[in-house]
Amino acid sequence: MSHVMNLLIKGADLVGAGRQDLLISGGLIAEIGTLDAGPAGVDQTIEADGLIALPGLVDLHTHLREPGREDAETIASGSAAAAIGGFTAILAMANTTPVTDTAEAAERVLDLGRLAGLVDVQPVGAVTKGLAGEELAELGLMAHSRANVRVFSDDGHCVADARVMRRVLEYVRAFDGVVSQHAQDPKLADGRACCHEGELSGRLGLPGWPGIAEEIIVARDVMLARHTGSRVHVAHVSTAGSVEVIRWAKAQGIAVTAEVTPHHLMLTTDLVTGYDPTFKVNPPLRPIEDVEALRAALADGTIDIVATDHAPHARHDKEHAFIDASPGMLGLETALSVVSDVMVGSGLLDWAGVAQVMSVRPARIAGLSGHGRPIAVGEPANLTLIDPAATVTVDREASVSLSRNNPWHGRRLTGAVQATVLRGVPTVLKGALA
Ligand code: DOR
């Protein structure tokens, strides 16, 4: 018979509830209070003096590359990066080889995540077969499979055909699904578009990716959400114009949610001046005016959540001329530090707000009932312990991801994950895999 694991977390700052000890037993929070006597039968103690406890972080948008591109990332290595980043649940996008467009493919992702055992890996189902944008994938079979798929996305590609988008929205309503849209009109920003369209793209001779290509899809999709009564989620919002549309739609009561990436909250388009493909991402980095609008929108709730769009790429796909390199950046290990630095450091969000945008709301959007829960007796012990005062200098060589396309390399950020606990079991201690 296996022994029930008892974990004691001493003196963590439970935002709003002050400094408390947490006793965790059998994966659940068993007691909260001053447990100074040291309850009997404790197997492990974490000294959490000065650390903030948040519900385990949830990332609605990651690319784990397995199956098909295990040279860039695997479900195991991506899970490790997630745990280091303070995450207890992540959603794995469908743009793998083969595409996650069947129940079998979704169950395989789920099972590989369980095997890795560091974080709950929840598959995103493709909207269309092969991400081709034409025929709907096995939406119902994926939803009713063991993988219980609720989030559908052709991410990497836009569901550009309005008729297909309307159909999928009508279809997923039956099982409270949500469609996460990669908003990019393919005629206004085609496959070669790689730099925010403006003076800089002209000067650098790079094909422009104008904000309007995102905004018209966001505008169309919120109208389709209104028309169908379904939920639409806007992936990686990158422009002030998209924020305006989403703000309007929410005011109408339309069921739209939106995410912003850490990179779009901090990095600006001028970084591509040196043609370093590390800074190539889709949608592209934008000017400071957009970045500031995104920060304000996250602070006021117009943008609901932060999601990383963790997009590992092998060297041989990234180390090319800017225009030929694969778009994407690592994000899982650094997300909390970036949000801490840019949002908490500036006073735009407090830690309770970080819990909302990085745990509570993403769990709710994805329908993950065991995550994003209050830190309270009887709840699953999915937790992240954060040192708000720690200063880290990001070193891409220290990453547990298999890829090195890390735009944060060399940056000093304030705020760092110290420990992650998945259902009462530490996956990360003192910032390293447990
Ligand atoms: O930069 C990106 N990389 N944006 C996407 O939408 C897809 C992602 C990827 O899969 O590499």
Side-chain angles (χ1 to χ4, degrees), residues 180-316:
S180 171
Q181 173 71 294
H182 174 120
Q184 174 178 7
D185 182 280
K187 295 281 168 58
L188 288 176
D190 66 16
R192 286 175 65 75
C194 60
C195 178
H196 171 71
E197 183 181 284
E199 187 271 333
L200 186 68
S201 64
R203 182 149 50 86
L204 297 178
L206 293 173
W209 199 131
I212 188 67
E214 175 175 301
E215 293 150 9
I216 64 164
I217 295 294
V218 176
R220 183 201 75 177
D221 286 354
V222 298
M223 293 311 285
L224 285 171
R226 177 160 87 175
H227 179 75
T228 58
S230 290
R231 293 197 289 146
V232 73
H233 175 79
V234 187
H236 41 52
V237 172
S238 73
T239 79
S242 295
V243 168
E244 277 183 80
V245 175
I246 293 162
R247 190 171 283 135
W248 173 85
K250 287 191 164 184
Q252 312 308 303
I254 296 170
V256 58
T257 54
E259 72 190 32
V260 61
T261 67
H263 47 275
H264 290 112
L265 284 173
M266 191 183 265
L267 308 179
T268 49
T269 184
D270 49 286
L271 285 164
V272 311
T273 302
Y275 296 100
D276 179 349
T278 310
F279 298 108
K280 179 173 175 180
V281 66
N282 193 22
L285 300 178
R286 302 290 186 190
I288 188 67
E289 298 76 29
D290 288 310
V291 170
E292 284 173 350
L294 296 170
R295 292 175 188 164
L298 183 64
D300 74 17
T302 303
I303 292 180
D304 302 80
I305 67 167
V306 173
T308 66
D309 195 6
H310 178 80
H313 286 295
R315 280 210 143 89
H316 47 276

